[in-house]
mmCIF file of all heavy atoms in Angstrom:
data_model
loop_
_atom_site.group_PDB
_atom_site.id
_atom_site.type_symbol
_atom_site.label_atom_id
_atom_site.label_comp_id
_atom_site.label_asym_id
_atom_site.label_seq_id
_atom_site.Cartn_x
_atom_site.Cartn_y
_atom_site.Cartn_z
ATOM 1 N N LEU W 47 -4.507 55.874 -19.203
ATOM 2 C CA LEU W 47 -3.743 54.749 -18.588
ATOM 3 C C LEU W 47 -2.697 54.246 -19.725
ATOM 4 O O LEU W 47 -2.751 53.150 -20.094
ATOM 5 C CB LEU W 47 -4.753 53.615 -18.298
ATOM 6 C CG LEU W 47 -5.320 53.633 -16.864
ATOM 7 C CD1 LEU W 47 -6.451 52.774 -16.738
ATOM 8 C CD2 LEU W 47 -4.154 53.305 -15.825
ATOM 9 N N HIS W 51 1.821 56.827 -17.734
ATOM 10 C CA HIS W 51 1.108 56.603 -16.477
ATOM 11 C C HIS W 51 1.621 55.406 -15.686
ATOM 12 O O HIS W 51 1.806 55.452 -14.485
ATOM 13 C CB HIS W 51 -0.327 56.524 -16.792
ATOM 14 C CG HIS W 51 -1.251 56.183 -15.604
ATOM 15 N ND1 HIS W 51 -1.684 57.165 -14.636
ATOM 16 C CD2 HIS W 51 -1.634 54.999 -15.075
ATOM 17 C CE1 HIS W 51 -2.307 56.588 -13.710
ATOM 18 N NE2 HIS W 51 -2.323 55.275 -13.860
ATOM 19 N N LYS W 56 3.173 53.567 -11.231
ATOM 20 C CA LYS W 56 3.270 52.202 -10.888
ATOM 21 C C LYS W 56 2.000 51.541 -10.727
ATOM 22 O O LYS W 56 1.638 50.880 -9.801
ATOM 23 C CB LYS W 56 4.086 51.961 -9.631
ATOM 24 C CG LYS W 56 5.537 52.612 -9.666
ATOM 25 C CD LYS W 56 6.327 51.919 -10.730
ATOM 26 C CE LYS W 56 7.750 52.419 -10.765
ATOM 27 N NZ LYS W 56 8.232 52.908 -12.013
ATOM 28 N N ASN W 57 1.032 51.976 -11.685
ATOM 29 C CA ASN W 57 -0.334 51.498 -11.713
ATOM 30 C C ASN W 57 -0.714 51.017 -13.057
ATOM 31 O O ASN W 57 -0.265 51.702 -14.085
ATOM 32 C CB ASN W 57 -1.300 52.661 -11.191
ATOM 33 C CG ASN W 57 -2.673 52.179 -11.365
ATOM 34 O OD1 ASN W 57 -3.401 52.646 -12.364
ATOM 35 N ND2 ASN W 57 -3.236 51.525 -10.347
ATOM 36 N N SER W 58 -1.421 49.898 -13.230
ATOM 37 C CA SER W 58 -1.918 49.471 -14.496
ATOM 38 C C SER W 58 -3.253 48.792 -14.251
ATOM 39 O O SER W 58 -3.912 48.928 -13.148
ATOM 40 C CB SER W 58 -0.959 48.447 -15.022
ATOM 41 O OG SER W 58 -1.216 48.076 -16.374
ATOM 42 N N VAL W 59 -3.625 48.015 -15.184
ATOM 43 C CA VAL W 59 -4.931 47.278 -14.971
ATOM 44 C C VAL W 59 -4.762 45.827 -15.471
ATOM 45 O O VAL W 59 -3.874 45.521 -16.287
ATOM 46 C CB VAL W 59 -6.070 47.931 -15.861
ATOM 47 C CG1 VAL W 59 -6.542 49.260 -15.365
ATOM 48 C CG2 VAL W 59 -5.754 47.991 -17.360
ATOM 49 N N PHE W 60 -5.473 44.957 -14.865
ATOM 50 C CA PHE W 60 -5.445 43.557 -15.231
ATOM 51 C C PHE W 60 -6.908 43.148 -15.528
ATOM 52 O O PHE W 60 -7.879 43.674 -14.880
ATOM 53 C CB PHE W 60 -5.057 42.645 -13.988
ATOM 54 C CG PHE W 60 -3.527 42.703 -13.607
ATOM 55 C CD1 PHE W 60 -2.686 43.523 -14.290
ATOM 56 C CD2 PHE W 60 -3.104 41.951 -12.601
ATOM 57 C CE1 PHE W 60 -1.376 43.588 -13.858
ATOM 58 C CE2 PHE W 60 -1.793 41.975 -12.216
ATOM 59 C CZ PHE W 60 -0.925 42.791 -12.779
ATOM 60 N N VAL W 61 -7.074 42.290 -16.501
ATOM 61 C CA VAL W 61 -8.466 41.762 -16.754
ATOM 62 C C VAL W 61 -8.745 40.639 -15.810
ATOM 63 O O VAL W 61 -7.970 39.708 -15.673
ATOM 64 C CB VAL W 61 -8.574 41.219 -18.249
ATOM 65 C CG1 VAL W 61 -9.888 40.557 -18.485
ATOM 66 C CG2 VAL W 61 -8.377 42.479 -19.237
ATOM 67 N N ALA W 62 -9.832 40.786 -14.991
ATOM 68 C CA ALA W 62 -10.269 39.715 -14.085
ATOM 69 C C ALA W 62 -11.121 38.673 -14.689
ATOM 70 O O ALA W 62 -11.170 37.502 -14.281
ATOM 71 C CB ALA W 62 -10.878 40.417 -12.908
ATOM 72 N N ASP W 88 -16.086 52.174 -11.143
ATOM 73 C CA ASP W 88 -15.826 52.736 -9.781
ATOM 74 C C ASP W 88 -14.416 52.964 -9.540
ATOM 75 O O ASP W 88 -13.616 52.931 -10.543
ATOM 76 C CB ASP W 88 -16.646 51.880 -8.770
ATOM 77 C CG ASP W 88 -15.899 50.476 -8.429
ATOM 78 O OD1 ASP W 88 -14.726 50.303 -8.892
ATOM 79 O OD2 ASP W 88 -16.522 49.580 -7.887
ATOM 80 N N GLU W 89 -14.021 53.314 -8.366
ATOM 81 C CA GLU W 89 -12.687 53.755 -8.213
ATOM 82 C C GLU W 89 -11.642 52.683 -8.407
ATOM 83 O O GLU W 89 -10.416 52.953 -8.700
ATOM 84 C CB GLU W 89 -12.395 54.250 -6.751
ATOM 85 C CG GLU W 89 -12.640 53.221 -5.729
ATOM 86 C CD GLU W 89 -12.324 53.746 -4.332
ATOM 87 O OE1 GLU W 89 -12.222 54.955 -4.122
ATOM 88 O OE2 GLU W 89 -12.304 52.897 -3.398
ATOM 89 N N LYS W 90 -12.027 51.409 -8.462
ATOM 90 C CA LYS W 90 -11.044 50.338 -8.741
ATOM 91 C C LYS W 90 -11.371 49.424 -9.965
ATOM 92 O O LYS W 90 -10.541 48.571 -10.207
ATOM 93 C CB LYS W 90 -10.948 49.395 -7.432
ATOM 94 C CG LYS W 90 -10.457 50.202 -6.294
ATOM 95 C CD LYS W 90 -10.383 49.295 -5.044
ATOM 96 C CE LYS W 90 -9.910 49.983 -3.842
ATOM 97 N NZ LYS W 90 -9.883 49.177 -2.663
ATOM 98 N N ARG W 91 -12.544 49.649 -10.626
ATOM 99 C CA ARG W 91 -13.006 48.614 -11.559
ATOM 100 C C ARG W 91 -13.617 49.387 -12.739
ATOM 101 O O ARG W 91 -14.186 50.420 -12.702
ATOM 102 C CB ARG W 91 -13.961 47.723 -11.051
ATOM 103 C CG ARG W 91 -13.433 46.900 -9.984
ATOM 104 C CD ARG W 91 -14.499 46.064 -9.256
ATOM 105 N NE ARG W 91 -15.377 47.015 -8.556
ATOM 106 C CZ ARG W 91 -16.357 46.555 -7.669
ATOM 107 N NH1 ARG W 91 -16.546 45.430 -7.402
ATOM 108 N NH2 ARG W 91 -17.107 47.603 -7.085
ATOM 109 N N MET W 92 -13.448 48.757 -13.930
ATOM 110 C CA MET W 92 -14.136 49.111 -15.228
ATOM 111 C C MET W 92 -14.860 47.842 -15.734
ATOM 112 O O MET W 92 -14.229 46.806 -15.842
ATOM 113 C CB MET W 92 -13.238 49.576 -16.194
ATOM 114 C CG MET W 92 -12.551 50.914 -16.017
ATOM 115 S SD MET W 92 -11.413 51.327 -17.239
ATOM 116 C CE MET W 92 -9.884 50.728 -16.557
ATOM 117 N N MET W 113 -14.283 42.633 -17.193
ATOM 118 C CA MET W 113 -14.127 43.294 -15.935
ATOM 119 C C MET W 113 -12.639 43.488 -15.670
ATOM 120 O O MET W 113 -11.901 42.682 -15.760
ATOM 121 C CB MET W 113 -14.633 42.279 -14.825
ATOM 122 C CG MET W 113 -14.531 43.013 -13.480
ATOM 123 S SD MET W 113 -15.461 44.568 -13.210
ATOM 124 C CE MET W 113 -17.141 43.968 -13.392
ATOM 125 N N ILE W 114 -12.309 44.713 -15.594
ATOM 126 C CA ILE W 114 -10.908 45.245 -15.479
ATOM 127 C C ILE W 114 -10.642 45.819 -14.074
ATOM 128 O O ILE W 114 -11.466 46.608 -13.617
ATOM 129 C CB ILE W 114 -10.625 46.283 -16.602
ATOM 130 C CG1 ILE W 114 -10.817 45.646 -18.020
ATOM 131 C CG2 ILE W 114 -9.212 46.762 -16.462
ATOM 132 C CD1 ILE W 114 -10.780 46.556 -19.163
ATOM 133 N N LEU W 115 -9.559 45.358 -13.492
ATOM 134 C CA LEU W 115 -9.192 45.909 -12.161
ATOM 135 C C LEU W 115 -7.950 46.809 -12.298
ATOM 136 O O LEU W 115 -6.970 46.583 -12.911
ATOM 137 C CB LEU W 115 -8.815 44.711 -11.232
ATOM 138 C CG LEU W 115 -9.885 43.613 -11.102
ATOM 139 C CD1 LEU W 115 -9.332 42.448 -10.242
ATOM 140 C CD2 LEU W 115 -11.159 44.201 -10.506
ATOM 141 N N SER W 116 -7.977 47.882 -11.426
ATOM 142 C CA SER W 116 -6.894 48.762 -11.275
ATOM 143 C C SER W 116 -5.867 48.075 -10.399
ATOM 144 O O SER W 116 -6.233 47.573 -9.316
ATOM 145 C CB SER W 116 -7.275 50.117 -10.736
ATOM 146 O OG SER W 116 -6.137 50.855 -10.387
ATOM 147 N N ILE W 117 -4.554 48.065 -10.701
ATOM 148 C CA ILE W 117 -3.614 47.296 -9.998
ATOM 149 C C ILE W 117 -2.370 48.125 -9.576
ATOM 150 O O ILE W 117 -1.775 48.826 -10.531
ATOM 151 C CB ILE W 117 -3.090 45.987 -10.640
ATOM 152 C CG1 ILE W 117 -4.201 45.106 -11.049
ATOM 153 C CG2 ILE W 117 -1.967 45.300 -9.981
ATOM 154 C CD1 ILE W 117 -4.800 44.422 -9.867
ATOM 155 N N ASP W 118 -1.991 48.175 -8.302
ATOM 156 C CA ASP W 118 -0.733 48.799 -7.872
ATOM 157 C C ASP W 118 0.372 47.782 -8.289
ATOM 158 O O ASP W 118 0.423 46.679 -7.726
ATOM 159 C CB ASP W 118 -0.828 48.957 -6.329
ATOM 160 C CG ASP W 118 0.543 49.510 -5.801
ATOM 161 O OD1 ASP W 118 1.646 49.115 -6.297
ATOM 162 O OD2 ASP W 118 0.439 50.222 -4.834
ATOM 163 N N LEU W 119 1.221 48.223 -9.205
ATOM 164 C CA LEU W 119 2.156 47.299 -9.732
ATOM 165 C C LEU W 119 3.283 46.832 -8.677
ATOM 166 O O LEU W 119 3.940 45.986 -8.839
ATOM 167 C CB LEU W 119 2.785 47.791 -11.076
ATOM 168 C CG LEU W 119 1.879 47.804 -12.236
ATOM 169 C CD1 LEU W 119 2.529 48.516 -13.394
ATOM 170 C CD2 LEU W 119 1.460 46.482 -12.599
ATOM 171 N N ARG W 122 1.234 44.641 -6.294
ATOM 172 C CA ARG W 122 0.546 43.630 -7.108
ATOM 173 C C ARG W 122 -0.824 43.379 -6.508
ATOM 174 O O ARG W 122 -1.320 42.174 -6.336
ATOM 175 C CB ARG W 122 1.258 42.234 -7.203
ATOM 176 C CG ARG W 122 2.694 42.438 -7.716
ATOM 177 C CD ARG W 122 2.815 43.025 -9.104
ATOM 178 N NE ARG W 122 2.630 42.051 -10.200
ATOM 179 C CZ ARG W 122 2.886 42.393 -11.374
ATOM 180 N NH1 ARG W 122 3.374 43.612 -11.720
ATOM 181 N NH2 ARG W 122 2.651 41.528 -12.326
ATOM 182 N N ARG W 123 -1.514 44.401 -6.089
ATOM 183 C CA ARG W 123 -2.891 44.306 -5.476
ATOM 184 C C ARG W 123 -3.775 45.378 -6.117
ATOM 185 O O ARG W 123 -3.340 46.319 -6.676
ATOM 186 C CB ARG W 123 -2.749 44.634 -3.958
ATOM 187 C CG ARG W 123 -2.053 43.610 -3.177
ATOM 188 C CD ARG W 123 -2.581 43.631 -1.782
ATOM 189 N NE ARG W 123 -2.036 42.508 -0.949
ATOM 190 C CZ ARG W 123 -2.426 41.275 -0.917
ATOM 191 N NH1 ARG W 123 -3.437 40.865 -1.680
ATOM 192 N NH2 ARG W 123 -1.861 40.432 -0.143
ATOM 193 N N VAL W 124 -5.089 45.092 -5.955
ATOM 194 C CA VAL W 124 -6.048 46.004 -6.425
ATOM 195 C C VAL W 124 -5.905 47.325 -5.722
ATOM 196 O O VAL W 124 -5.701 47.385 -4.571
ATOM 197 C CB VAL W 124 -7.518 45.511 -6.253
ATOM 198 C CG1 VAL W 124 -8.579 46.443 -6.639
ATOM 199 C CG2 VAL W 124 -7.565 44.111 -7.012
ATOM 200 N N SER W 125 -6.020 48.407 -6.461
ATOM 201 C CA SER W 125 -5.833 49.818 -5.900
ATOM 202 C C SER W 125 -6.682 50.757 -6.674
ATOM 203 O O SER W 125 -7.117 50.496 -7.804
ATOM 204 C CB SER W 125 -4.368 50.153 -5.931
ATOM 205 O OG SER W 125 -3.987 50.417 -7.290
ATOM 206 N N PRO W 126 -6.897 52.008 -6.144
ATOM 207 C CA PRO W 126 -7.713 52.981 -6.730
ATOM 208 C C PRO W 126 -7.081 53.497 -8.106
ATOM 209 O O PRO W 126 -5.841 53.554 -8.177
ATOM 210 C CB PRO W 126 -7.941 54.151 -5.811
ATOM 211 C CG PRO W 126 -7.604 53.483 -4.471
ATOM 212 C CD PRO W 126 -6.612 52.385 -4.770
ATOM 213 N N LEU W 127 -7.895 53.797 -9.024
ATOM 214 C CA LEU W 127 -7.412 54.395 -10.213
ATOM 215 C C LEU W 127 -7.032 55.822 -9.964
ATOM 216 O O LEU W 127 -7.495 56.479 -9.023
ATOM 217 C CB LEU W 127 -8.494 54.521 -11.263
ATOM 218 C CG LEU W 127 -8.873 53.192 -11.904
ATOM 219 C CD1 LEU W 127 -10.339 53.297 -12.625
ATOM 220 C CD2 LEU W 127 -7.808 52.790 -12.925
ATOM 221 N N ALA W 128 -6.072 56.436 -10.650
ATOM 222 C CA ALA W 128 -5.654 57.804 -10.433
ATOM 223 C C ALA W 128 -6.737 58.716 -10.741
ATOM 224 O O ALA W 128 -7.627 58.473 -11.590
ATOM 225 C CB ALA W 128 -4.437 58.064 -11.256
ATOM 226 N N VAL W 131 -7.348 59.658 -14.280
ATOM 227 C CA VAL W 131 -7.962 58.642 -15.065
ATOM 228 C C VAL W 131 -9.508 58.641 -14.861
ATOM 229 O O VAL W 131 -10.245 58.475 -15.727
ATOM 230 C CB VAL W 131 -7.248 57.230 -14.808
ATOM 231 C CG1 VAL W 131 -8.070 56.018 -15.466
ATOM 232 C CG2 VAL W 131 -5.810 57.259 -15.206
ATOM 233 N N MET W 132 -9.795 58.647 -13.557
ATOM 234 C CA MET W 132 -11.214 58.707 -13.191
ATOM 235 C C MET W 132 -11.897 59.959 -13.789
ATOM 236 O O MET W 132 -13.034 59.766 -14.263
ATOM 237 C CB MET W 132 -11.407 58.777 -11.698
ATOM 238 C CG MET W 132 -11.048 57.547 -10.938
ATOM 239 S SD MET W 132 -12.014 56.056 -11.478
ATOM 240 C CE MET W 132 -13.688 56.499 -10.894
ATOM 241 N N LEU W 135 -12.594 58.756 -17.271
ATOM 242 C CA LEU W 135 -13.453 57.508 -17.477
ATOM 243 C C LEU W 135 -14.902 57.865 -17.030
ATOM 244 O O LEU W 135 -15.829 57.423 -17.760
ATOM 245 C CB LEU W 135 -12.917 56.455 -16.564
ATOM 246 C CG LEU W 135 -13.782 55.174 -16.406
ATOM 247 C CD1 LEU W 135 -13.909 54.540 -17.736
ATOM 248 C CD2 LEU W 135 -13.078 54.181 -15.368
#
Side-chain angles (χ1 to χ4, degrees):
L47 272 164
H51 172 87
K56 303 297 185 232
N57 174 263
S58 189
V59 292
F60 291 0
V61 171
D88 65 20
E89 68 177 8
K90 296 180 181 179
R91 298 171 293 192
M92 287 178 266
M113 180 60 68
I114 300 173
L115 305 176
S116 173
I117 301 292
D118 175 325
L119 291 173
R122 308 302 276 191
R123 294 207 173 278
V124 176
S125 67
L127 290 160
V131 172
M132 289 300 291
L135 175 62

